[in-house]
Amino acid sequence: LNCLNPTRGNVICKLTSTSLIVIIGITIACIADSYHKIHEGYVGIYFKHGALQDRVTDPGVHFMMPFIEDYKEVRIRPETFAMDSVLAITKDGIENTFREITTITTVRKDKLVMMAKKFGMDFKKTLVFDRIKEDLRIFCANHTIDEVYNTMFLDIVANVKANVKSSIQRLGEDGIEILNLVIPKPEIPLDIAHNYKQVKVQWTEQLVATQQQKTERIKKETELIKAVADAERQKAVLEITIQERIIEKEGAKNVSLINNEIKKAAENNEADIAKYKLTKEAEANDALYTDKYIKLNLAKSLSNNTKFYFSGQQSELGGLFNKILGT
């Protein structure tokens, strides 16, 4: 059809063109309204005519029903949140203020829809932050200012955290995990703070004095240990010296005994030799001086004498000759 001619076909052509443009515009609008992106660290939850749906989407590009559904990103990665100041009154009626309470929490994806339906989109306020305030005030109400500010301060975080976790488990089915909770020391009235400062100064002075006493005691103990060590060392040296002298004396004694034994053995050996010599000489004499040998030598001696006087066999000399010669 020629849409430039002023005819009935021209009107139809214009209507068709307009409809096509409208359809294209509606299509573009639907695509633009349904297209959305979920960022990393978040998940998407969806509302249909204001009613929360069970659908949960992960990070990335997604589409929804245009003009009917709406979506909201919910952070599930760990999130740090600084709470408002919390005013609490202790058991003894002292007002104190906790400032800069900080929490780090994370949300479980599978419990997100349940918690949003039950407590609204601000479910962290109901399940975490309000519970922290409540348990902190209960702790202060059950303890004195000295316990809250001084002796039991380090127990506050553990006590509050345990109670809040119990509440989350009971009310939110463990849908939120508290990764960290920081509760700084509270601000207390100036006069009480001044008293604590004075007490701290006195405590510091006592600590210094105690440390000095310990140092002096350690010095004295060190001197005592050193003196004992010196005495023990001198004793050990003296014992070694005495032992050396004893060993030396025993050595000299042993040498003397050995020398005596050697000398005695030598003397015994000499006596044995002399005895043996005498014994051998006696045996030799016994073997040499036989009756025949004596008679022979006597005969030789008599033969050398030219004169020999005797008065017969009855005289002493005659009797000796007679006995020797066996006549």
Side-chain angles (χ1 to χ4, degrees):
L1 298 175
N2 188 358
C3 296
L4 297 178
N5 296 324
T7 61
R8 185 171 178 274
N10 188 21
V11 174
I12 294 173
C13 182
K14 288 181 179 181
L15 290 175
T16 302
S17 299
T18 302
S19 299
L20 184 60
I21 293 172
V22 170
I23 291 172
I24 293 173
I26 293 173
T27 302
I28 293 174
C30 289
I31 293 173
D33 187 70
S34 64
Y35 171 86
H36 61 283
K37 183 187 297 183
I38 304 299
H39 297 87
E40 187 65 41
Y42 293 79
V43 294
I45 59 175
Y46 296 87
F47 299 86
K48 185 176 182 180
H49 301 302
L52 180 61
Q53 306 298 301
D54 294 332
R55 177 187 175 193
V56 178
T57 56
D58 294 321
V61 174
H62 302 277
F63 292 91
M64 59 184 177
M65 296 178 65
F67 310 112
I68 296 177
E69 288 186 334
D70 195 8
Y71 81 99
K72 186 174 181 62
E73 283 186 301
V74 179
R75 181 170 178 169
I76 59 171
R77 67 169 47 160
E79 180 180 14
T80 302
F81 183 81
M83 295 175 54
D84 295 333
S85 300
V86 178
L87 179 65
I89 299 176
T90 61
K91 184 178 180 179
D92 46 2
I94 305 301
E95 183 179 286
N96 52 95
T97 304
F98 294 87
R99 302 185 186 277
E100 298 180 358
I101 299 175
T102 305
T103 63
I104 300 178
T105 59
T106 184
V107 178
R108 287 178 54 181
K109 175 184 173 182
D110 58 323
K111 301 294 182 181
L112 176 58
V113 173
M114 180 275 298
M115 291 188 295
K117 286 182 176 181
K118 192 173 181 179
F119 301 103
M121 292 305 299
D122 201 10
F123 53 84
K124 281 189 178 182
K125 179 178 182 301
T126 303
L127 293 174
V128 180
F129 309 137
D130 289 348
R131 298 288 70 74
I132 291 175
K133 292 180 181 179
E134 178 184 4
D135 289 310
L136 185 56
R137 286 169 177 157
I138 291 174
F139 183 89
C140 291
N142 290 319
H143 297 86
T144 63
I145 184 63
D146 184 62
E147 292 172 338
V148 173
Y149 189 76
N150 188 22
T151 60
M152 297 185 65
F153 172 72
L154 296 178
D155 298 333
I156 295 177
V157 171
N159 186 280
V160 172
K161 189 175 181 179
N163 291 335
V164 173
K165 282 187 174 181
S166 178
S167 297
I168 294 174
Q169 182 180 9
R170 177 171 50 87
L171 300 174
E173 300 179 5
D174 280 333
I176 301 175
E177 181 181 2
I178 300 177
L179 302 178
N180 192 41
L181 173 62
V182 177
I183 301 178
K185 270 203 170 186
E187 295 180 1
I188 58 177
L190 294 178
D191 53 343
I192 298 178
H194 178 73
N195 292 337
Y196 270 105
K197 183 178 180 180
Q198 292 299 113
V199 170
K200 184 63 68 175
V201 170
Q202 295 177 2
W203 176 80
T204 304
E205 292 175 351
Q206 294 175 1
L207 184 63
V208 172
T210 302
Q211 190 62 37
Q212 289 177 348
Q213 294 174 1
K214 290 182 179 179
T215 302
E216 291 297 326
R217 184 169 64 253
I218 292 173
K219 287 182 179 179
K220 291 181 180 179
E221 291 176 353
T222 303
E223 292 175 357
L224 178 60
I225 293 172
K226 184 179 179 182
V228 171
D230 291 340
E232 291 180 350
R233 183 169 56 255
Q234 292 176 0
K235 178 182 177 182
V237 172
L238 181 59
E239 289 178 351
I240 293 172
T241 303
I242 294 174
Q243 190 67 26
E244 288 178 349
R245 291 178 180 175
I246 292 173
I247 294 173
E248 182 179 354
K249 293 294 183 181
E250 289 181 350
K253 179 181 177 181
N254 293 333
V255 171
S256 178
L257 291 175
I258 293 171
N259 290 333
N260 292 337
E261 292 293 333
I262 294 173
K263 185 176 180 181
K264 181 179 179 181
E267 291 176 351
N268 291 335
N269 188 43
E270 291 178 357
D272 290 340
I273 292 172
K275 180 181 178 182
Y276 180 78
K277 183 178 180 181
L278 293 175
T279 302
K280 289 299 180 180
E281 288 179 353
E283 291 177 354
N285 289 333
D286 290 340
L288 178 63
Y289 296 111
T290 61
D291 293 340
K292 292 180 179 181
Y293 179 77
I294 294 172
K295 291 176 180 181
L296 177 62
N297 280 286
L298 178 60
K300 288 180 180 180
S301 297
L302 292 175
S303 63
N304 292 328
N305 293 325
T306 58
K307 295 179 178 182
F308 187 77
Y309 297 94
F310 61 91
S311 57
Q313 294 182 357
Q314 300 299 321
S315 65
E316 293 181 0
L317 183 59
L320 178 61
F321 283 149
N322 187 34
K323 186 176 182 179
I324 293 174
L325 296 174
T327 58

